[in-house]
Amino acid sequence: MKLLRELLFPVIAVLVAFVVGGVIVWVIGDNPFEVYGLLLGSALTWPDGIGYTLFYATPLIFTGLAVAVAFRCGLLNIGAEGQLYAAAFACAWVSIKLGGTVIKGFDGSPIAYGWASLPAVLLVPLALAAAMVVGGAWGAVPGWLKARFGAHEVITTIMMNFIAVSLVSYFTQYYYKAPGDPIMESVPIGESAHIARLGSFVPGLPERLPLNVAFLLAILACVLVYVFLWRTKWGYEIRATGANPSAAEYGGINVRKQIILAMAVSGALAGMVGINEVLGYRYRYYHEFSASYGFTGIAVALLGRNHPVGVFLAAILFGMLIRGGIFVDAFSQHVTKDLVEVLQAIVILFVAAEALFRGPFSRFGLLKRSKV
Amino acid sequence: MKLRMFLAAALVCALLVAGTSCRQETRADEKGKIRVGIVFDIGGKDDRSFNAAAYDGVKCAETGRHPDGTPCEKPSLGIMLRDVEPGNPTSIEPAMRAFAERGYDLIIGVGFAQAPIMETVAKDYPNINFAIVDGASELPNVASLVFKEHEGSYLVGMIAAKESKTGKIGFIGGMDIGLIHRFAKGYEEGAKAARPDAEVMVNYVGVTDGAWNNPGKGKELALAQIGKGADVIFTAAGNSGLGAFDAVEQAGKDSSGRATHFVIGVDSNQNCVKPGFVLTSMVKRVDNAVYQIVSDVVEKKFKGGFHVYGLEADGVAYSMDKCNQQLIGPDVLQQAEQAKQKIIAGQVKVTDAMKQ
């Protein structure tokens, strides 16, 4: 019953968004049933639709969890975007340097980028660790600034986004790009750093789908975040800080430490996006690879009510919308993929304006005010 | 009462969703027609330059009309056209695959950044024809549509040097890459051929994708070149080039009503963007190339490999129209025309900066 109540508003918000979106489609001049058929049909077919939906959902699970953890501590982490860029580059850097990348130069002679060529058992964990540590550090800095100087995390995280993107672009452009490559991307990572695509061991799933082991890591991250927040002392202290910092401090909790810890965990989670993109999909750092995952993660956390289960479901929904949006753009008569953005916006609007529904529902005793 | 309304609404929505999800391919793709899918670059189809030209080409093939409704000089090919504007690099591959999954006859990618992606997709679908604009691929089912930008740039370089009063001319490139070096090198050679003492200033907006979309920086560079004495500036910088248009307009006109500084447009015909200030445009007929490849597929003559468009078939050209015919002297035009014939005949070789 409690779960049902938690799910009620997000589900209503999504349904209302679809109805409003349908009206918009109708006004534009397409048949809403056809457009939704296209949207959901393309997102839910096996194997391509589902494979891509889950692939798109993977980074959103990570960033959704990242925002949720910070939010449980009363912090709004707008910096997941920067954290994941810094982390993705770090991940690629380790996989290039220790993966023994060698490319062919203009004259055919090999150019070595790597220092060493480690086997997969060592390299993959190191690359994972690099992504999480750098992402975590990038998140911890605004945490420390908040704890030490009271600098507002919204300002500092958003500033850190710009720094991260510019910094990794600089390194990519001047040190890690193949000579003459017109595309802003690093040289490929060492082959031993590639992580398996799910298609290589799931029957019926073709290996060309980019869905990879990072999706399983994302599920694992959901479980671990749940355990961390609700079953450990640290998680309890983070939640207590988020609920009421003064009371938490009075209760003997070091609030400053909790802020830094929450931001570091948040950054590490956001950084794991790099694993999906670099180790599992492109096998290199690619400029602007993130389709605003860090910012969409805020919406995912909001819709998922800052709970790992909710984040997982919301990320799947957004993954469906991204996948379906491409098909709507391609195969509908008038509607473009902007419809997807309209749908997302309406969902967020309705989730945010929850109080609008709360009145009528609570009158019938269907709902009580939710507790932290 | 309100509750009931909400529940009713929710029920309707649920039905709506359930009702649609099982009707997957409601849009019957019109039978018998050749189906063409085009995937644009991040700039989108309304960039007034490169993507817009590609869109124009496929639109002419579909309807016989330009996107603005005016008739094309070429007939409609009766194809069915679908397009995607990916918006971010992550959506390019699934967009191509979306067309491939549905067995489209031709899939066109716009821009060099799509070349590696098209390689991986085209390998999975050897029976589908692909075409990449500005990119290169070795696969037999991929047509690489490339242009001899250096030759067109050579001609506008000649015109620039001839029309310059100071003997100093400028070049503003977008991203500092081989493709744009090709423009710069040809331009410089053309200028030197027309006027051996010509001085060419070369600047680039930047090194990232953002360099195509930074008119502010484009204007700054143009003003700096004007400050150093340049009076004709050739831009090959996408949207950033429009900043140079502002800069020459700001420099104004002399007492006779002729502009003191000129700009040369690129890719699409930009002569009328700021009439009187645009000397000419180095047009790259992406529209013709795209139309041609569609017509090849329709006539079942599709061939993979390189399709090179040079001066001979107006694949690249300098554009003349009502907005600039007063600006260029007949003797200059005659000289440019002669140079064009010599290049086509192979008597003059223009250096291709990408093949050095």
Side-chain angles (χ1 to χ4, degrees), chain B residues 20-40:
Chain B
T20 53
S21 58
C22 37
R23 298 169 51 195
Q24 201 212 109
E25 283 188 43
T26 38
R27 171 167 306 285
D29 291 330
E30 294 152 74
K31 290 265 156 23
K33 280 188 169 179
I34 293 286
R35 297 182 300 169
V36 176
I38 183 166
V39 182
F40 291 103

Side-chain angles (χ1 to χ4, degrees), chain B residues 271-283:
Chain B
N271 291 356
C272 296
V273 173
K274 300 246 188 247
F277 293 96
V278 187
L279 199 54
T280 181
S281 300
M282 205 294 273
V283 290

Side-chain angles (χ1 to χ4, degrees), chain A residues 6-22 36 39-40 299-300 302-304 310 313-318 320-321 340 342-352 357, chain B residues 9-10 12-14 16-17:
Chain A
E6 284 292 315
L7 276 174
L8 189 62
F9 283 119
V11 169
I12 289 179
V14 170
L15 291 178
V16 171
F18 270 76
V19 171
V20 175
Y36 283 139
L39 184 84
L40 299 174
V300 169
L302 191 66
L303 182 62
L313 295 175
I316 301 278
L317 175 77
F318 277 54
M320 281 168 58
L321 291 180
V340 165
V342 172
L343 287 179
Q344 288 182 356
I346 300 171
V347 169
I348 295 161
L349 202 66
F350 277 99
V351 171
F357 307 103
Chain B
V12 170
C13 310
L16 219 148
V17 172

Side-chain angles (χ1 to χ4, degrees), chain A:
Chain A
M1 194 57 205
K2 181 169 169 279
L3 183 72
L4 215 65
R5 272 209 301 268
E6 284 292 315
L7 276 174
L8 189 62
F9 283 119
V11 169
I12 289 179
V14 170
L15 291 178
V16 171
F18 270 76
V19 171
V20 175
V23 172
I24 294 172
V25 169
W26 179 70
V27 169
I28 291 172
D30 267 339
N31 179 346
F33 291 93
E34 264 179 33
V35 169
Y36 283 139
L38 205 56
L39 184 84
L40 299 174
S42 61
L44 295 176
T45 45
W46 176 262
D48 286 72
I50 291 175
Y52 267 107
T53 296
L54 297 182
F55 171 68
Y56 289 131
T58 306
L60 298 178
I61 294 172
F62 288 129
T63 55
L65 287 175
V67 175
V69 167
F71 197 83
R72 288 283 172 184
C73 190
L75 301 164
L76 193 52
N77 179 10
I78 319 258
E81 190 79 357
Q83 289 145 21
L84 68 87
Y85 267 110
F89 184 79
C91 187
W93 186 82
V94 167
S95 320
I96 289 168
K97 282 292 175 196
L98 301 177
T101 295
V102 178
I103 60 156
K104 250 192 218 160
F106 277 132
D107 50 358
S109 60
I111 308 172
Y113 279 83
W115 290 329
S117 198
L118 297 184
V121 274
L122 287 174
L123 186 55
V124 172
L126 275 175
L128 295 186
M132 292 175 67
V133 168
V134 170
W138 209 261
V141 171
W144 178 75
L145 288 172
K146 167 125 186 165
R148 179 72 181 77
F149 302 107
H152 202 288
E153 78 280 1
V154 168
I155 310 289
T156 49
T157 50
I158 215 160
M159 290 303 169
M160 295 282 284
N161 285 345
F162 292 110
I163 299 174
V165 174
S166 305
L167 208 58
V168 297
S169 301
Y170 168 77
F171 284 124
T172 310
Q173 174 69 25
Y174 292 103
Y175 298 100
Y176 295 102
K177 212 169 86 166
D181 188 346
I183 304 169
M184 182 84 150
E185 59 185 14
S186 74
V187 293
I189 61 173
E191 275 194 25
S192 51
H194 295 193
I195 56 175
R197 296 195 165 189
L198 290 192
S200 61
F201 53 84
V202 175
L205 199 67
E207 211 173 331
R208 63 186 153 80
L209 296 182
L211 181 66
N212 59 68
V213 172
F215 175 66
L216 304 181
L217 288 176
I219 297 175
L220 184 67
C222 286
V223 175
L224 291 180
V225 164
Y226 177 80
V227 171
F228 173 74
L229 280 179
W230 279 278
R231 292 286 180 272
T232 67
K233 177 173 157 277
W234 293 327
Y236 171 77
E237 290 182 348
I238 283 179
R239 284 185 297 122
T241 305
N244 189 337
S246 313
E249 188 141 34
Y250 187 71
I253 293 171
N254 184 346
V255 172
R256 294 179 175 194
K257 205 183 96 194
Q258 299 315 318
I259 289 173
I260 300 175
L261 177 67
M263 282 304 290
V265 171
S266 176
L269 284 164
M272 290 175 81
V273 172
I275 297 166
N276 186 44
E277 291 289 328
V278 174
L279 302 186
Y281 176 41
R282 291 182 188 278
Y283 307 127
R284 54 176 18 122
Y285 171 80
Y286 192 94
H287 181 59
E288 287 184 339
F289 71 85
S290 163
S292 299
Y293 296 135
F295 301 113
T296 312
I298 300 168
V300 169
L302 191 66
L303 182 62
R305 303 183 72 81
N306 298 308
H307 190 284
V309 176
V311 164
F312 181 80
L313 295 175
I316 301 278
L317 175 77
F318 277 54
M320 281 168 58
L321 291 180
I322 297 174
R323 161 76 180 175
I326 294 164
F327 277 73
V328 168
D329 196 9
F331 301 117
S332 70
Q333 201 70 43
H334 304 290
V335 181
T336 66
K337 68 175 172 13
D338 301 326
L339 171 71
V340 165
E341 274 162 42
V342 172
L343 287 179
Q344 288 182 356
I346 300 171
V347 169
I348 295 161
L349 202 66
F350 277 99
V351 171
E354 196 187 293
L356 200 75
F357 307 103
R358 225 172 242 296
F361 275 95
S362 54
R363 198 177 307 157
F364 291 90
L366 250 166
L367 250 164
K368 290 173 190 124
R369 288 208 62 81
S370 63
K371 292 172 197 123
V372 177

